[in-house]
Amino acid sequence: MNKLFASLILLTMTLLSGCFSTSALIPEKKDSSFYLVDTKEGRLCNGNTGYCVRLSLVASQNGQLDSFEKAYQQKITGPNYPRSLMIILLKPADSSYRATNLDTNGRLYSLPKNDKTNTAWKALNDLYRTEYQ
């Protein structure tokens, strides 16, 4: 009984001190209005939702992502297929969109959602499902 009483006192003190807040109970709104490229981790993410796919998936296909290559009218080339894919995403040859640097060290870039980037996202997710599900 003493442990329960001590726990209740500790919880009450914590609540009164402001360590818990109602914002902790409300889920943070995740922005999925853009794609995020993490050049260090080699990932393409759906905004800041935490839902990401690794660009290294393309290596298992020897760099072939037909729908992606058709949309971008560019070939993913070796020997480093994931890097080639990342470069195409960040700077499409037709300059149809611009990647926006989000930090000072060149790690994070924002890509607009459009037909091309949506195709890239879908192609990588389809590849993931084929490989792992």
Side-chain angles (χ1 to χ4, degrees):
M1 187 69 167
N2 285 340
K3 286 184 181 180
L4 178 62
F5 184 70
S7 295
L8 286 174
I9 289 177
L10 181 59
L11 178 62
T12 303
M13 289 175 49
T14 304
L15 287 171
L16 291 175
S17 70
C19 289
F20 287 120
S21 68
T22 56
S23 64
L25 302 174
I26 301 170
E28 181 183 336
K29 183 167 167 71
K30 305 291 184 174
D31 185 359
S32 62
S33 65
F34 64 97
Y35 292 112
L36 179 73
V37 175
D38 183 332
T39 61
K40 181 178 178 187
E41 296 293 325
R43 300 181 308 172
L44 178 65
C45 303
N46 187 9
N48 68 1
T49 64
Y51 184 56
C52 304
V53 288
R54 292 199 166 277
L55 300 178
S56 61
L57 286 169
V58 74
S60 68
Q61 301 298 308
N62 292 326
Q64 294 182 337
L65 276 181
D66 294 335
S67 59
F68 174 86
E69 291 178 337
K70 184 178 178 184
Y72 280 82
Q73 297 181 1
Q74 290 178 265
K75 290 282 186 193
I76 301 168
T77 58
N80 191 335
Y81 299 115
R83 180 167 168 70
S84 176
L85 173 60
M86 185 184 315
I87 290 168
I88 294 169
L89 284 168
L90 293 174
K91 192 168 173 119
D94 65 359
S95 301
S96 56
Y97 65 83
R98 284 187 73 177
T100 304
N101 190 349
L102 298 177
D103 60 6
T104 58
N105 60 7
R107 176 180 175 174
L108 301 175
Y109 290 86
S110 169
L111 305 180
K113 284 196 171 181
N114 58 37
D115 289 341
K116 285 185 181 179
T117 57
N118 289 339
T119 298
W121 178 252
K122 183 179 181 322
L124 285 166
N125 277 279
D126 289 347
L127 183 55
Y128 177 84
R129 280 190 288 281
T130 300
E131 291 286 320
Y132 296 107
Q133 294 180 348

PDB file of all heavy atoms in Angstrom, residues 17 25 62 69 77 107 115 118 121-122:
ATOM      1  N   SER A  17       3.998  19.841 -11.545  1.00  0.00           N
ATOM      2  CA  SER A  17       5.218  20.554 -11.937  1.00  0.00           C
ATOM      3  C   SER A  17       5.251  20.872 -13.423  1.00  0.00           C
ATOM      4  O   SER A  17       6.115  21.598 -13.884  1.00  0.00           O
ATOM      5  CB  SER A  17       6.452  19.724 -11.568  1.00  0.00           C
ATOM      6  OG  SER A  17       6.540  18.584 -12.409  1.00  0.00           O
ATOM      7  N   LEU A  25      -0.288  14.411 -25.034  1.00  0.00           N
ATOM      8  CA  LEU A  25      -1.422  13.529 -25.286  1.00  0.00           C
ATOM      9  C   LEU A  25      -1.990  13.711 -26.689  1.00  0.00           C
ATOM     10  O   LEU A  25      -2.682  12.848 -27.190  1.00  0.00           O
ATOM     11  CB  LEU A  25      -2.526  13.781 -24.253  1.00  0.00           C
ATOM     12  CG  LEU A  25      -2.111  13.605 -22.791  1.00  0.00           C
ATOM     13  CD1 LEU A  25      -3.253  14.019 -21.875  1.00  0.00           C
ATOM     14  CD2 LEU A  25      -1.688  12.177 -22.517  1.00  0.00           C
ATOM     15  N   ASN A  62      19.424  -4.143 -60.153  1.00  0.00           N
ATOM     16  CA  ASN A  62      20.484  -3.663 -61.042  1.00  0.00           C
ATOM     17  C   ASN A  62      20.135  -2.303 -61.622  1.00  0.00           C
ATOM     18  O   ASN A  62      20.398  -2.009 -62.782  1.00  0.00           O
ATOM     19  CB  ASN A  62      20.784  -4.666 -62.153  1.00  0.00           C
ATOM     20  CG  ASN A  62      21.412  -5.922 -61.619  1.00  0.00           C
ATOM     21  OD1 ASN A  62      22.174  -5.867 -60.654  1.00  0.00           O
ATOM     22  ND2 ASN A  62      21.098  -7.047 -62.218  1.00  0.00           N
ATOM     23  N   GLU A  69      12.252   5.427 -64.504  1.00  0.00           N
ATOM     24  CA  GLU A  69      13.079   5.837 -65.637  1.00  0.00           C
ATOM     25  C   GLU A  69      12.235   6.432 -66.761  1.00  0.00           C
ATOM     26  O   GLU A  69      12.654   7.383 -67.423  1.00  0.00           O
ATOM     27  CB  GLU A  69      13.912   4.657 -66.139  1.00  0.00           C
ATOM     28  CG  GLU A  69      14.980   4.253 -65.141  1.00  0.00           C
ATOM     29  CD  GLU A  69      15.799   3.059 -65.574  1.00  0.00           C
ATOM     30  OE1 GLU A  69      15.313   2.250 -66.405  1.00  0.00           O
ATOM     31  OE2 GLU A  69      16.929   2.941 -65.088  1.00  0.00           O
ATOM     32  N   THR A  77      22.094   4.498 -63.340  1.00  0.00           N
ATOM     33  CA  THR A  77      23.325   3.859 -63.802  1.00  0.00           C
ATOM     34  C   THR A  77      24.176   3.358 -62.640  1.00  0.00           C
ATOM     35  O   THR A  77      24.100   3.876 -61.528  1.00  0.00           O
ATOM     36  CB  THR A  77      24.165   4.841 -64.644  1.00  0.00           C
ATOM     37  OG1 THR A  77      24.453   5.999 -63.858  1.00  0.00           O
ATOM     38  CG2 THR A  77      23.417   5.270 -65.898  1.00  0.00           C
ATOM     39  N   ARG A 107      22.416  17.470 -46.072  1.00  0.00           N
ATOM     40  CA  ARG A 107      21.906  16.127 -45.813  1.00  0.00           C
ATOM     41  C   ARG A 107      20.439  15.970 -46.198  1.00  0.00           C
ATOM     42  O   ARG A 107      20.052  14.968 -46.778  1.00  0.00           O
ATOM     43  CB  ARG A 107      22.079  15.775 -44.333  1.00  0.00           C
ATOM     44  CG  ARG A 107      21.488  14.439 -43.997  1.00  0.00           C
ATOM     45  CD  ARG A 107      21.637  14.073 -42.549  1.00  0.00           C
ATOM     46  NE  ARG A 107      20.935  12.827 -42.287  1.00  0.00           N
ATOM     47  CZ  ARG A 107      20.972  12.184 -41.138  1.00  0.00           C
ATOM     48  NH1 ARG A 107      21.700  12.664 -40.149  1.00  0.00           N
ATOM     49  NH2 ARG A 107      20.314  11.073 -40.983  1.00  0.00           N
ATOM     50  N   ASP A 115       3.826  14.646 -60.340  1.00  0.00           N
ATOM     51  CA  ASP A 115       3.713  13.368 -61.042  1.00  0.00           C
ATOM     52  C   ASP A 115       5.017  12.570 -60.985  1.00  0.00           C
ATOM     53  O   ASP A 115       5.007  11.356 -60.764  1.00  0.00           O
ATOM     54  CB  ASP A 115       3.302  13.582 -62.503  1.00  0.00           C
ATOM     55  CG  ASP A 115       1.846  14.027 -62.632  1.00  0.00           C
ATOM     56  OD1 ASP A 115       1.063  13.824 -61.676  1.00  0.00           O
ATOM     57  OD2 ASP A 115       1.494  14.574 -63.687  1.00  0.00           O
ATOM     58  N   ASN A 118       5.861  11.493 -57.265  1.00  0.00           N
ATOM     59  CA  ASN A 118       4.869  10.488 -56.867  1.00  0.00           C
ATOM     60  C   ASN A 118       5.183   9.142 -57.523  1.00  0.00           C
ATOM     61  O   ASN A 118       5.035   8.091 -56.899  1.00  0.00           O
ATOM     62  CB  ASN A 118       3.455  10.928 -57.229  1.00  0.00           C
ATOM     63  CG  ASN A 118       2.955  12.071 -56.369  1.00  0.00           C
ATOM     64  OD1 ASN A 118       3.452  12.319 -55.273  1.00  0.00           O
ATOM     65  ND2 ASN A 118       1.975  12.793 -56.875  1.00  0.00           N
ATOM     66  N   TRP A 121       8.103   7.605 -55.651  1.00  0.00           N
ATOM     67  CA  TRP A 121       7.637   7.083 -54.362  1.00  0.00           C
ATOM     68  C   TRP A 121       6.910   5.753 -54.556  1.00  0.00           C
ATOM     69  O   TRP A 121       7.171   4.775 -53.860  1.00  0.00           O
ATOM     70  CB  TRP A 121       6.737   8.115 -53.696  1.00  0.00           C
ATOM     71  CG  TRP A 121       6.157   7.674 -52.394  1.00  0.00           C
ATOM     72  CD1 TRP A 121       4.866   7.329 -52.155  1.00  0.00           C
ATOM     73  CD2 TRP A 121       6.851   7.525 -51.151  1.00  0.00           C
ATOM     74  NE1 TRP A 121       4.710   6.968 -50.830  1.00  0.00           N
ATOM     75  CE2 TRP A 121       5.908   7.084 -50.201  1.00  0.00           C
ATOM     76  CE3 TRP A 121       8.158   7.727 -50.760  1.00  0.00           C
ATOM     77  CZ2 TRP A 121       6.240   6.836 -48.882  1.00  0.00           C
ATOM     78  CZ3 TRP A 121       8.492   7.476 -49.440  1.00  0.00           C
ATOM     79  CH2 TRP A 121       7.548   7.040 -48.513  1.00  0.00           C
ATOM     80  N   LYS A 122       6.013   5.718 -55.530  1.00  0.00           N
ATOM     81  CA  LYS A 122       5.242   4.498 -55.784  1.00  0.00           C
ATOM     82  C   LYS A 122       6.163   3.370 -56.253  1.00  0.00           C
ATOM     83  O   LYS A 122       6.032   2.236 -55.796  1.00  0.00           O
ATOM     84  CB  LYS A 122       4.155   4.764 -56.823  1.00  0.00           C
ATOM     85  CG  LYS A 122       3.275   3.557 -57.080  1.00  0.00           C
ATOM     86  CD  LYS A 122       2.193   3.845 -58.092  1.00  0.00           C
ATOM     87  CE  LYS A 122       1.281   2.674 -58.353  1.00  0.00           C
ATOM     88  NZ  LYS A 122       1.828   1.372 -58.387  1.00  0.00           N
TER      89      LYS A 122
END
